Amino acid sequence: MADLYGRPLTDCAYRIKSMPINRCLESSTTDPDEDNDSETITTMKLSPEDSNNESQKWVITPGSAPGTYTFRCLGSGKFLSFDNGQRHDYVTGGYRGALSFDVAALHETSTATTLWKIETTGGCCRLLPHGQTQHCVDFDESYAPPIAELNTKDDFRGQQRWFLEPVAATKQPTWDGANDFQHKFFGLTAQKAKQLGPYDIIIIGTGIGGGVLAGDLFDTNSKLGGGAKSILVIERGNLIFHSHCLNTARPSGLAKDRGQQNDSFFATFKEDYTFTDDTPKDDWKGGPMYCLGGRSAVWGLFAPRIHDTTLLSHFPRAVRDALTSEYYEKAEKLMNLSLPETKPVHQHLLERLNMDAGREFSQSKLKANIQWQWGRVASEFRDERNYDFAEGAYSTIDKLLEIAMSKPPGMEEHENFKILLGAEARQLLWADGEVVKGVKVRTARGEEVDIKVKPSTGRVILCAGSVASPAILLRSGVPLKTAQMGGCRLTDHDILYRAKSFRYKNPDHRREVGSMKLQTYVETGDDDVLLANLSLDASSFLPRGKSFNEDLPRLIMVFITKTSLESQCTINLDHDGEPRVKIVRARDDRRRQDERKMKRLTKATMETIEDVLQVEFVDQSGDSEEFKYLELGGVAHELGTIPMEQPSNRGSKAQSNYSVDENLKLRGRKGVYVCDLSVFPYSPEANPTLTLAALSLRLSRTLLPRLPVGKPKDDVLHIVNHTGQKIKVWISNRGGIEEDTAEDVTLEPGDGKWWRREKGTSEAVFVYKTNPNEQEGEFLLVPQLFFGIPGEILSID
């Protein structure tokens, strides 16, 4: 059935009828003319209605991007597609020619060019290519029969008006539309999710913030048995990638240009924000990605920590202490952070770079502390354990897909963990004006569904991104833009880079040195800090610049600056409740001095590389000593729209203008947390991804602790069962403490028990796990041995 405007509400077959001439869009197969030996051509034309013609019937289903659809011909099985600026063959009236402008085409499989938007207008609709909102499907009557094409959108052109007429299909589709990963493992619908509620926790978004949080909560649930919480994860997009894009096939040319190519995937699959008229759009390159894993599917993997100076000055002390003492390390382990093998030539270069840079700045008024080290990249390069496969580039997709594929036999969903794809969270629902009671979602078909959390105790965590999360709160009546909350100041830091080709005097040395990625904080002693990145003959997340010889190795020097949230930037909602963004470069009075430091460090670095590696840099047309600015959003670091509180003048008192507290809890509301880049109170000198992952792990352990809160007494040994199965435990008594019984104890999953033991005396803990062969007894005969210390909690995993 279709609504008043012919827009599809359910999956079925439709005729796509032109309003002015009442003809139907048809997939037509035509043999080539006699003088041409090419293959049979499948093209498009407009034909009179024929109720028995399956090539005039199209199966319309929601696409992989929110608000999009695919049109698949019931007759040919091909998808309605568009190709910007490509030439496509067509046959009409016995003549074979080629269209040199954008055309409506056909494609064998569903791709990014088979996604269409349906725009209602005047009782009918327009069909717009996804991402090309200024064009729509048109037709040309100068041919017989008329042919379909793409043309510039024109409100007064009748040839762009179509009606989607539902029809009965005289045959079933010959393809299996459910035979893919999403249909097999993500079958949950919004209505079904509503029925399975209410939930303890709803997470909105699956990028680094939401994906790390969801994965860690799932692992915690598996340890807690009856103490597990019911969790629903809502993702606006669908399953596009099965892992990080660098773990899969990439565009050809990698060996030649040494680009990582993740930016190619980002450019292909990202959406565009809607900007205000006074936003400099030519200085913007970013946008959101709506899919399982979000932008974690394409990020550049560079994972440095934020410098202590920035954490001390701009983040709550509790957050800084938690990150530096525990959660940075946990996040690095989660993200497979690894360092390459250091050969003698690498060590020699690192030492010379540090000594030479130190000497350079000691002789200058521009003081700076330099300490080059290997770049921190979230990818496992190698594993010393033979045949234990490396895990590759990190993305949240792998964990979430693993969870979806590991549902218990015979169950459609995990008992306490569910993932809903293709549903956009529109707003939060409130009880008594301030307590969250649920989330209103909109499906790809436009259906709105209210999904509830448990009364009073339920929690919603917004992880939808720095534009989508504040948009949800603004729709929900949260006054983010007040001076008190200080929200909606979308900010990105400046990234400056310079590239230069070089050649080894002895070509054999290139293989010996290999590729290097280095980093150093540039500390000036006046609370100012930059992060410098050096890519030497290595793939890079930044442009390499033009080179007359792409076979030459390339040096790329990159500097990331830090900045306060920019008050000129803002987010408003339009009349449809959609966000309109204004973002400009943050004002920075230190930039000129910073650039002087960048140039000086770059000069010293190049001189050292020339000397140590025996290379010579190649001058070519277009090279410049000036640094180029990367477009805002180019590496997806925009943040700060729901900022956490930050210290005031380094004191313990927090500033009053903040949106979430140090535990990421939304100010003035109950049960709402935020965990994405929007919570950053400052744009740091580092890629913020690692810090966000660390914040996510901290929030996970706050929402659902794995261990009892507090430390046991010095004469108490506390044991918790985190195996996910029933175990039997026996503990030695070396100190001879009198107790009621020395018998073993059975612990259910998630249960804990304490024993009195002598202070300072370690005890042997014998753990008997469940026997998978029940006929041989409830527990295995051979125990696992652990050591417990009174005053500590021993977790049995």
Side-chain angles (χ1 to χ4, degrees):
M1 162 136 335
D3 68 7
L4 176 64
Y5 304 104
R7 184 172 51 197
L9 298 179
T10 59
D11 296 350
C12 67
Y14 292 82
R15 290 192 188 94
I16 305 175
K17 302 183 73 171
S18 167
M19 294 293 286
I21 62 175
N22 199 32
R23 286 196 173 200
C24 303
L25 198 62
E26 178 180 330
S27 168
S28 176
T29 300
T30 308
D31 292 328
D33 58 57
E34 297 177 356
D35 297 328
N36 196 310
D37 59 356
S38 61
E39 297 179 356
T40 299
I41 303 163
T42 303
T43 185
M44 307 235 336
K45 63 181 180 180
L46 273 71
S47 304
E49 181 180 325
D50 181 353
S51 60
N52 295 318
N53 188 348
E54 301 299 324
S55 292
Q56 292 182 359
K57 299 176 183 179
W58 301 81
V59 175
I60 303 178
T61 55
S64 58
T68 65
Y69 297 89
T70 62
F71 294 73
R72 194 169 193 179
C73 180
L74 194 61
S76 68
K78 295 186 177 182
F79 290 86
L80 183 66
S81 176
F82 58 92
D83 257 321
N84 189 19
Q86 301 298 313
R87 298 174 66 89
H88 290 273
D89 292 330
Y90 67 88
V91 174
T92 180
Y95 172 76
R96 184 178 186 194
L99 297 175
S100 59
F101 41 81
D102 293 352
V103 300
L106 290 168
H107 202 280
E108 294 282 355
T109 59
S110 179
T111 67
T113 62
T114 62
L115 301 179
W116 297 85
K117 296 271 189 177
I118 301 177
E119 181 182 276
T120 59
T121 174
C124 53
C125 67
R126 278 194 287 247
L127 307 181
L128 288 71
H130 179 48
Q132 299 187 34
T133 56
Q134 298 306 310
H135 294 81
C136 61
V137 177
D138 200 324
F139 66 88
D140 188 343
E141 292 183 89
S142 65
Y143 296 94
I147 60 170
E149 63 185 29
L150 289 183
N151 207 343
T152 303
K153 189 166 66 174
D154 183 346
D155 290 338
F156 300 100
R157 184 169 170 80
Q159 289 91 331
Q160 298 177 359
R161 298 178 183 271
W162 305 84
F163 187 82
L164 306 181
E165 180 182 69
V167 294
T170 56
K171 70 173 184 178
Q172 293 298 314
T174 56
W175 62 89
D176 182 3
N179 193 25
D180 56 45
F181 268 84
Q182 178 157 332
H183 287 91
K184 293 292 186 184
F185 300 113
F186 297 94
L188 186 66
T189 65
Q191 285 292 350
K192 186 66 174 179
K194 175 182 179 179
Q195 295 170 12
L196 295 174
Y199 300 90
D200 291 300
I201 299 172
I202 293 179
I203 301 170
I204 300 171
T206 59
I208 291 293
V212 170
L213 176 65
D216 196 66
L217 286 174
F218 178 86
D219 288 344
T220 300
N221 259 353
S222 68
K223 300 174 182 291
L224 298 184
K229 301 296 184 181
S230 57
I231 298 169
L232 173 67
V233 181
I234 299 174
E235 168 56 49
R236 176 173 174 173
N238 294 299
L239 181 63
I240 296 178
F241 300 93
H242 291 183
S243 183
H244 191 284
C245 67
L246 299 188
N247 298 333
T248 63
R250 285 177 267 171
S252 61
L254 174 63
K256 178 180 179 181
D257 65 22
R258 306 287 290 176
Q260 290 183 172
Q261 302 292 341
N262 57 297
D263 58 330
S264 299
F265 287 97
F266 182 38
T268 299
F269 290 97
K270 73 177 180 68
E271 301 280 328
D272 292 320
Y273 296 130
T274 301
F275 293 104
T276 58
D277 293 337
D278 54 348
T279 296
K281 302 176 185 61
D282 57 349
D283 195 23
W284 176 261
K285 196 180 179 181
M289 275 183 59
Y290 301 121
C291 61
L292 185 71
R295 294 189 298 201
S296 80
V298 299
W299 74 296
L301 305 177
F302 185 48
R305 298 183 179 191
I306 296 175
H307 194 275
D308 285 351
T309 298
T310 304
L311 289 175
L312 179 65
S313 300
H314 300 288
F315 287 75
R317 185 183 183 93
V319 172
R320 184 202 68 184
D321 291 347
L323 293 180
T324 56
S325 66
E326 180 178 6
Y327 288 102
Y328 266 145
E329 185 176 353
K330 280 182 165 61
E332 288 166 348
K333 182 178 180 180
L334 171 73
M335 302 175 84
N336 309 318
L337 190 85
S338 62
L339 299 175
E341 178 185 359
T342 303
K343 299 177 182 178
V345 65
H346 300 147
Q347 188 62 43
H348 180 41
L349 178 60
L350 284 167
E351 290 173 352
R352 292 309 316 170
L353 284 171
N354 290 326
M355 287 188 284
D356 292 350
R359 185 182 308 110
E360 177 75 19
F361 280 98
S362 67
Q363 300 171 358
S364 167
K365 295 181 180 180
L366 298 172
K367 302 301 181 184
N369 182 30
I370 305 297
Q371 189 62 46
W372 286 103
Q373 58 181 293
W374 284 112
R376 305 166 76 88
V377 177
S379 178
E380 186 176 322
F381 298 118
R382 61 187 177 85
D383 197 315
E384 295 177 354
R385 297 163 295 179
N386 288 337
Y387 304 110
D388 195 350
F389 292 98
E391 296 184 48
Y394 176 78
S395 169
T396 61
I397 302 171
D398 301 75
K399 178 66 175 181
L400 297 176
L401 191 52
E402 173 189 300
I403 292 170
M405 294 190 294
S406 62
K407 297 169 187 173
M411 294 184 63
E412 293 184 356
E413 302 293 337
H414 288 284
E415 180 180 1
N416 290 307
F417 191 95
K418 298 164 181 63
I419 302 177
L420 171 63
L421 298 185
E424 178 192 2
R426 294 293 296 174
Q427 66 184 80
L428 305 184
L429 307 173
W430 307 107
D432 301 324
E434 63 175 17
V435 181
V436 72
K437 68 176 183 179
V439 179
K440 182 182 293 293
V441 304
R442 179 187 293 170
T443 69
R445 297 184 178 92
E447 178 187 20
E448 294 192 341
V449 181
D450 292 349
I451 303 176
K452 301 295 181 64
V453 293
K454 293 181 179 178
S456 302
T457 61
R459 286 162 288 190
V460 175
I461 300 92
L462 289 174
C463 311
S466 294
V467 172
S469 284
I472 292 170
L473 292 179
L474 291 173
R475 293 188 202 104
S476 307
V478 177
L480 278 181
K481 300 184 67 174
T482 61
Q484 183 183 37
M485 299 194 78
C488 295
R489 293 174 290 168
L490 186 68
T491 302
D492 195 5
H493 49 205
D494 284 339
I495 298 179
L496 296 87
Y497 68 96
R498 179 188 171 195
K500 186 83 170 176
S501 296
F502 64 94
R503 61 167 58 95
Y504 283 88
K505 295 178 181 178
N506 182 343
D508 291 341
H509 289 171
R510 183 176 185 182
R511 176 174 295 182
E512 178 187 356
V513 176
S515 300
M516 297 184 71
K517 288 186 179 182
L518 306 177
Q519 69 175 53
T520 180
Y521 298 100
V522 183
E523 305 170 65
T524 61
D526 56 358
D527 290 341
D528 189 20
V529 60
L530 310 171
L531 184 62
N533 301 284
L534 171 62
S535 173
L536 193 67
D537 197 12
S539 63
S540 174
F541 64 92
L542 288 177
R544 284 168 47 87
K546 294 182 179 179
S547 173
F548 68 85
N549 185 351
E550 290 293 349
D551 291 329
L552 288 176
R554 197 87 162 140
L555 175 146
I556 304 177
M557 195 76 166
V558 182
F559 290 91
I560 304 179
T561 68
K562 64 178 187 177
T563 187
S564 301
L565 301 185
E566 177 54 58
S567 59
Q568 292 187 74
C569 302
T570 189
I571 298 174
N572 294 301
L573 297 181
D574 64 17
H575 63 280
D576 293 321
E578 301 302 327
R580 288 178 59 84
V581 174
K582 178 182 179 181
I583 184 168
V584 297
R585 289 196 181 271
R587 294 163 292 185
D588 193 338
D589 297 332
R590 301 167 303 185
R591 179 62 66 245
R592 178 172 295 181
Q593 182 170 322
D594 285 345
E595 289 196 32
R596 291 170 61 195
K597 297 173 189 174
M598 296 176 198
K599 290 180 179 179
R600 199 172 194 98
L601 179 57
T602 302
K603 177 177 178 292
T605 299
M606 293 173 64
E607 290 175 351
T608 301
I609 291 172
E610 281 183 311
D611 179 49
V612 173
L613 299 184
Q614 288 297 291
V615 305
E616 55 184 5
F617 286 94
V618 179
D619 290 325
Q620 56 182 313
S621 175
D623 276 352
S624 171
E625 293 186 3
E626 300 301 319
F627 284 88
K628 297 179 181 179
Y629 280 74
L630 186 69
E631 297 93 336
L632 296 175
V635 285
H637 293 177
E638 65 272 18
L639 48 71
T641 50
I642 313 175
M644 72 175 82
E645 55 186 329
Q646 58 175 317
S648 177
N649 298 322
R650 284 180 167 235
S652 58
K653 183 179 178 181
Q655 293 185 6
S656 59
N657 57 330
Y658 65 92
S659 300
V660 296
D661 64 18
E662 63 186 24
N663 293 316
L664 308 187
K665 185 178 182 296
L666 184 66
R667 187 177 189 176
R669 303 296 171 117
K670 295 180 180 179
V672 180
Y673 295 78
V674 185
C675 191
D676 54 33
L677 291 182
S678 66
V679 304
F680 280 58
Y682 191 83
S683 186
E685 72 291 335
N687 180 318
T689 306
L690 177 71
T691 301
L692 177 56
L695 290 172
S696 299
L697 291 172
R698 177 174 179 260
L699 178 59
S700 171
R701 307 299 170 87
T702 301
L703 294 173
L704 191 54
R706 295 184 176 183
L707 297 174
V709 178
K711 183 178 174 68
K713 295 181 180 180
D714 290 342
D715 63 347
V716 170
L717 175 57
H718 196 148
I719 295 179
V720 180
N721 177 14
H722 280 166
T723 64
Q725 57 182 270
K726 185 190 296 186
I727 61 174
K728 183 172 66 175
V729 178
W730 183 86
I731 302 176
S732 66
N733 189 3
R734 296 175 58 216
I737 297 294
E738 294 183 7
E739 55 182 347
D740 295 336
T741 178
E743 300 293 331
D744 50 54
V745 174
T746 298
L747 297 179
E748 297 290 338
D751 285 353
K753 182 175 174 58
W754 61 269
W755 287 260
R756 287 190 61 246
R757 289 294 185 266
E758 183 175 336
K759 176 182 176 182
T761 302
S762 61
E763 301 289 352
V765 179
F766 295 85
V767 177
Y768 299 83
K769 293 192 174 181
T770 300
N771 193 339
N773 188 350
E774 297 180 358
Q775 296 179 353
E776 298 178 358
E778 185 176 8
F779 298 100
L780 295 172
L781 296 178
V782 179
Q784 289 183 312
L785 179 61
F786 296 81
F787 291 95
I789 301 175
E792 302 290 341
I793 299 175
L794 175 61
S795 171
I796 306 297
D797 291 312

